[in-house]
Amino acid sequence: TAKLIAKNNMRKACKLQRCPKWVDDEQLWLIQEVYALAKLRTKLTGIQWHVDHVVPLRGKLVSGLHVLENLRVIPAAMNLFKGNVYQI
C-alpha cells in the first residue's frame, strides 16, 4: 500500500539523516498521499510513476530532505533518466 511505501521511504530517509525532526503525523500523512498518487497514476495510465526527490537525498553538490516540498510524482522513465542529479 501507499502508506507502507511512504513509511519505508521515511525510514530509509531517516537512516540517511535526511528526515527532519519537525516532520509530524500530518506531514507524514501528506507524504503518504504523494505515494498514493503515484500508485493511482500507475493504475490509471498503465505506465509506471515514481515519487521523485527534486533535490536528491544524496546528491554530489547538494542534498535534499525527505519532506513534502521536495517530492513530486513523475513518470518512472523520467525519474530513471534523471538519476541522482540536481540541475542548478
Side-chain angles (χ1 to χ4, degrees):
T1 68
K3 186 175 181 178
L4 181 61
I5 293 168
K7 281 190 176 192
N8 283 338
N9 283 314
M10 181 66 76
R11 180 182 52 79
K12 289 176 190 176
C14 289
K15 280 186 178 180
L16 295 171
Q17 299 179 344
R18 303 313 308 155
C19 175
K21 293 184 187 292
W22 49 261
V23 172
D24 58 14
D25 289 342
E26 182 180 349
Q27 285 281 319
L28 179 58
W29 180 80
L30 291 169
I31 290 169
Q32 290 169 0
E33 289 296 300
V34 173
Y35 285 90
L37 176 61
K39 185 176 180 180
L40 179 62
R41 284 186 181 178
T42 296
K43 182 179 178 180
L44 293 176
T45 65
I47 63 169
Q48 190 72 34
W49 289 75
H50 284 179
V51 175
D52 173 52
H53 289 88
V54 178
V55 180
L57 298 182
R58 296 184 296 168
K60 288 184 179 183
L61 298 177
V62 294
S63 294
L65 297 174
H66 187 70
V67 293
L68 182 64
E69 296 80 7
N70 192 34
L71 300 177
R72 65 181 176 173
V73 178
I74 63 174
M78 178 187 254
N79 192 35
L80 295 172
F81 178 78
K82 173 180 125 20
N84 197 27
V85 174
Y86 178 67
Q87 297 292 330
I88 296 177

